[in-house]
């Protein structure tokens, strides 16, 4: 079956098609005039002219270039090239502002044009068909993106941040000149990833960088501080922070980030830390001897006939104990910050440690009832006895500090899936949900009117968390405001015990 023949279009229809097409112009290849033969409505309206005023005129007379633009030279070059090469010439982007009759102002507009040769029977270029397209939106979007990038770049430079982008597939690295500077090289130096890694302190590389890298692949971001060696042998501190970019299959493909030299603030921090360590150490010596004198006096004088003496000695002993605990906490904090907190692991029975700690605390706080309910009589653990004792006593002291005298405090211990879980429950002021997330942070204290008369430093829970973390255990809490709180910690049990437990 034959298809219907295509209808033959009359020259009038072709004329309409041309005149209604977006941005078209036909000029004769009669240089230097380039006589205008036809123009579409859109082309005419862009230039703010009517058809009779341009047809038959030379291109440069018909479309005079507004002052301030020198595109006529370009157009001449383009037309010349079309004739010489008999090939289409594209002008990817140029600016030509359009007069807006409503606002009576020129609007900034960008265009692209294609200039196609039309040849005669002798294969000479007889006409040029100019088609233009409005690309203002694309150009403006690109300008905005460039401006954003520039702003970012300036911000990074102003804050002395170095930026880097590592390809995880071929390990190539792109970075800003500041990175080379931070690593002690002239800014234009090209350094490889291997060279950068070789400058990182080897201990920090093992303990921090490799772990952070593995975490970044899993979690999607990373932040760490390490020491680096500069080529002149000096040591500096850097903080690097960033995120992982994944492909459509969620496979990590790039690591992006910033590097900041934090040597000055780190040195300040180290000095402060050293000061804390030294001051608390110096305070410990006179306190220990004060405690010894109080104990000697207690032995000599108690039981006495004077109840004031009995009471004063008991109170003095309690206060000295409080100060000693506080100084130990500050010492531990400084050791922790400088990475010097060492655990002395040994086997011991945790229920005995819990009851001893309760007994000790009961002496100085007779106003509270502390119940201990172990699930099993004996639970052996392998841990730092003194430090775990400190955690228990911290949690017990908090339970008392944040609840009224006479209320109940319940302690329990239980074996759960290869761990021992200890809990301390009070009936005190409790903690609202917003604060719960931040309680274990260093120096964090809840701020509300209930807390106004309760003193503290906000380091007890932070230390407890760090101690438990170093035992590969967990610490957490549950609470409802005004209804009390339960603090839990769990420690992994030695392997042979955990086998029996399951
Ligand atoms: P400190 O008690 O010295 O302020 P901690 O680190 O021990 O510091 O505790 C941090 C904060 O957590 C406390 O300031 C308090 O607001 C809150 N908190 C701790 N334990 C309890 C508790 N048992 N009940 C209510 N709030 C608590």
């Amino acid at each position: 079956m034959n298809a219907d023949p295509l209808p033959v279009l009359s020259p009038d229809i072709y004329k309409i098609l041309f005149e209604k097409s977006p941005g078209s112009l036909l000029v004769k290849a009669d240089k230097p005039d380039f006589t205008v033969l036809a123009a579409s409505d859109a082309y005419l309206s862009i230039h703010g002219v009517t058809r009779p005023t341009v047809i038959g005129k030379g291109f440069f007379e018909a479309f005079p270039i507004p002052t301030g633009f020198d595109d006529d030279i370009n157009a001449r070059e383009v037309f010349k090239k079309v004739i010489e090469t008999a090939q289409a010439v594209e002008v990817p982007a140029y600016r030509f502002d359009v007069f807006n009759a409503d606002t009576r102002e020129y609007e900034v507009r960008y265009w692209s044009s294609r200039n196609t040769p039309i040849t005669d029977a002798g294969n000479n270029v007889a006409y040029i068909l100019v088609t233009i397209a409005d690309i203002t939106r694309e150009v403006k979007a690109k300008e905005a993106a460039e401006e954003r990038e520039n702003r970012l770049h300036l911000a990074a430079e102003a804050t002395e941040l170095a930026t880097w982008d590592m390809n995880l597939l071929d390990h190539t690295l792109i970075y800003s000149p500041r990175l080379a500077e931070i690593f002690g090289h002239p800014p234009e130096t090209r350094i490889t990833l291997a060279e950068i890694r070789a400058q990182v302190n080897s201990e920090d590389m093992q303990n921090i960088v490799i772990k952070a890298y593995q975490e970044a692949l899993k979690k999607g971001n990373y932040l760490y501080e390490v020491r680096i060696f500069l080529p002149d042998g000096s040591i500096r501190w850097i903080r690097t922070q960033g995120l992982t970019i994944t492909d459509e299959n969620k496979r990590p493909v790039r690591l992006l980030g910033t590097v900041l030299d934090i040597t000055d603030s780190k040195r300040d921090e180290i000095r402060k830390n050293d000061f804390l360590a030294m001051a608390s150490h110096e305070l410990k010596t006179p306190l220990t001897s004060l405690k010894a004198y109080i104990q000697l006096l207690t032995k000599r004088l108690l039981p006495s006939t004077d109840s004031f003496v009995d009471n004063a000695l008991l109170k003095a002993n309690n206060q000295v104990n409080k100060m000693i605990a506080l100084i130990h906490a500050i010492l531990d904090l400084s050791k922790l910050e400088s990475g010097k907190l060492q655990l002395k692991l040994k086997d011991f029975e945790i229920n005995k440690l819990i009851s001893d700690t309760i007994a000790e605390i009961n002496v100085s706080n007779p106003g509270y009832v502390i119940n201990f309910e172990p699930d099993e009589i004996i639970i052996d653990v392998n841990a730092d006895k003194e430090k775990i004792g400190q955690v228990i006593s911290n949690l017990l002291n908090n339970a008392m500090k944040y609840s009224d005298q006479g209320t109940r405090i319940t302690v329990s211990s239980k074996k759960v899936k290869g761990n021992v879980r200890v809990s301390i429950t009070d009936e005190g002021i409790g903690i609202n949900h917003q604060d719960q997330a931040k309680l274990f942070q260093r120096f964090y204290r809840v701020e509300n009117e209930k807390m106004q008369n309760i003193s503290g430093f906000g380091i007890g829970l932070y230390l407890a968390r760090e101690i438990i973390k170093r035992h590969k255990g967990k610490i957490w809490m549950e609470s409802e405001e005004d209804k009390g709180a339960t603090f839990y910690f769990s420690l992994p049990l030695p392997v042979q015990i955990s086998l029996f437990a399951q």
Side-chain angles (χ1 to χ4, degrees):
M1 233 171 60
N2 281 339
D4 287 342
L6 282 173
V8 177
L9 297 179
S10 70
D12 278 353
I13 299 276
Y14 279 116
K15 188 166 172 282
I16 291 171
L17 274 180
F18 186 87
E19 289 178 353
K20 297 297 167 202
S21 71
S24 309
L25 181 82
L26 186 71
V27 295
K28 212 168 164 187
D30 56 348
K31 69 179 176 193
D33 291 347
F34 301 102
T35 310
V36 176
L37 299 179
S40 72
D41 295 349
Y43 196 98
L44 295 169
S45 112
I46 290 161
H47 287 79
V49 290
T50 56
R51 195 163 282 116
T53 62
V54 295
I55 302 293
K57 289 209 178 119
F59 175 84
F60 299 101
E61 187 193 346
F63 303 105
I65 304 298
T67 40
F69 293 90
D70 55 359
D71 276 317
D72 59 333
I73 301 165
N74 281 336
R76 233 180 257 288
E77 291 299 314
V78 171
F79 291 162
K80 238 169 77 188
K81 202 165 160 203
V82 175
I83 297 171
E84 273 165 25
T85 61
Q87 300 274 334
V89 173
E90 306 232 4
V91 181
Y94 64 92
R95 180 173 161 183
F96 179 80
D97 293 357
V98 173
F99 187 73
N100 182 327
D102 294 337
T103 61
R104 311 208 54 77
E105 277 178 12
Y106 277 94
E107 279 173 8
V108 176
R109 300 280 273 276
Y110 294 92
W111 308 87
S112 72
S113 80
R114 185 178 168 84
N115 303 269
T116 314
I118 298 172
T119 47
D120 60 14
N123 236 0
N124 295 314
V125 177
Y127 310 101
I128 301 171
L129 175 66
V130 182
T131 43
I132 61 171
D134 187 344
I135 53 163
T136 310
R137 268 219 289 191
E138 289 83 341
V139 171
K140 289 214 165 139
K142 202 168 146 222
E143 276 177 2
E146 274 168 9
E147 200 184 311
R148 267 200 306 274
E149 199 173 315
N150 267 342
R151 260 207 307 265
L152 268 181
H153 195 72
L154 276 177
E157 261 179 18
T159 49
E160 303 211 314
L161 271 178
T163 52
W164 64 290
D165 179 348
M166 181 171 99
N167 184 321
L168 291 171
L169 306 178
D170 60 12
H171 286 95
T172 48
L173 187 69
I174 302 171
Y175 55 85
S176 65
R178 175 78 189 130
L179 189 97
E181 271 185 326
I182 290 179
F183 278 80
H185 308 280
E188 67 282 0
T189 320
R190 299 301 314 159
I191 33 177
T192 61
L193 189 61
E195 283 164 341
I196 288 177
R197 285 190 170 158
Q199 281 185 246
V200 176
N201 172 291
S202 56
E203 229 174 74
D204 292 354
M205 188 77 204
Q206 285 302 320
N207 299 339
I208 302 171
V209 181
I210 294 179
K211 275 190 201 153
Y213 178 74
Q214 283 160 353
E215 274 218 346
L217 298 186
K218 272 192 260 154
K219 267 184 21 193
N221 56 37
Y222 62 91
L223 165 69
Y224 60 81
E225 293 176 1
V226 289
R227 288 161 292 177
I228 58 167
F229 292 105
L230 265 46
D232 65 7
S234 59
I235 296 174
R236 301 202 63 87
W237 281 89
I238 55 164
R239 175 187 300 139
T240 171
Q241 182 170 12
L243 40 96
T244 322
I245 307 283
T246 50
D247 65 7
E248 65 277 9
N249 301 320
K250 302 252 178 313
R251 200 171 51 132
V253 285
R254 278 164 68 198
L255 273 188
L256 294 187
T258 58
V259 179
L260 185 65
D261 185 328
I262 52 161
T263 311
D264 291 343
S265 64
K266 204 73 196 179
R267 286 199 179 128
D268 229 31
E269 202 182 297
I270 292 170
R271 266 197 299 273
K272 246 185 256 162
N273 226 344
D274 289 349
F275 168 77
L276 266 188
M278 197 187 62
S280 39
H281 193 81
E282 290 298 314
L283 282 170
K284 220 170 83 177
T285 322
L287 260 185
T288 317
S289 85
L290 190 60
K291 185 177 163 77
Y293 281 118
I294 292 172
Q295 278 171 345
L296 276 177
L297 275 178
T298 310
K299 257 196 191 151
R300 282 234 181 146
L301 299 180
L302 294 195
S304 77
T305 46
D306 185 344
S307 67
F308 173 78
V309 172
D310 293 9
N311 205 8
L313 279 177
L314 185 72
K315 286 211 166 120
N317 193 40
N318 285 349
Q319 295 304 322
V320 166
N321 281 344
K322 265 193 192 164
M323 273 181 89
I324 291 178
L326 200 62
I327 283 168
H328 273 140
I330 298 175
L331 256 177
D332 278 352
L333 182 75
S334 72
K335 280 190 197 152
L336 203 80
E337 307 280 283
S338 55
K340 288 184 195 139
L341 189 86
Q342 303 268 334
L343 295 184
K344 296 187 196 105
L345 297 183
K346 65 174 184 188
D347 291 334
F348 64 91
E349 206 278 296
I350 196 158
N351 289 335
K352 169 98 175 44
L353 177 69
I354 296 173
S355 20
D356 286 351
T357 315
I358 292 174
E360 210 178 285
I361 283 176
N362 260 337
V363 176
S364 31
N365 302 279
Y368 291 87
V369 188
I370 306 179
N371 290 324
F372 178 35
E373 301 160 353
D375 227 30
E376 287 175 47
I377 308 289
I378 293 176
I379 305 177
D380 287 318
V381 294
N382 180 265
D384 186 318
K385 189 173 173 187
E386 199 187 312
K387 296 270 178 298
I388 298 297
Q390 222 172 299
V391 172
I392 298 168
S393 122
N394 256 335
L395 297 179
L396 277 172
N397 275 317
N398 275 351
M400 292 185 294
K401 203 156 103 179
Y402 298 108
S403 53
D404 291 332
Q405 290 220 13
T407 56
R408 209 172 8 174
I409 292 166
T410 311
V411 184
S412 83
S413 70
K414 196 179 174 139
K415 279 185 189 171
V416 186
K417 290 187 188 152
N419 292 281
V420 53
R421 192 185 70 193
V422 177
S423 71
I424 291 154
T425 304
D426 63 59
E427 301 172 338
I429 59 172
I431 304 131
N432 71 32
H433 281 274
Q434 276 151 343
D435 288 310
Q436 286 182 17
K438 303 179 202 146
L439 276 201
F440 294 94
Q441 288 172 7
R442 189 175 59 158
F443 304 135
Y444 190 80
R445 300 202 75 219
V446 173
E447 276 176 35
N448 59 33
E449 70 280 3
K450 283 178 253 162
M451 291 281 297
Q452 262 167 13
N453 300 319
I454 310 177
S455 63
F457 287 101
I459 56 175
L461 288 182
Y462 169 72
L463 274 179
R465 185 190 68 173
E466 291 302 311
I467 291 170
I468 297 296
K469 213 161 87 181
R470 277 166 175 68
H471 280 87
K472 300 199 170 29
K474 285 202 180 89
I475 186 162
W476 69 101
M477 55 100 39
E478 285 165 7
S479 174
E480 223 175 292
E481 213 172 349
D482 296 324
K483 296 216 173 116
T486 299
F487 282 80
Y488 298 89
F489 71 85
S490 72
L491 292 173
L493 290 168
V495 178
Q496 66 271 30
I497 292 176
S498 68
L499 282 179
F500 287 120
Q502 274 158 17

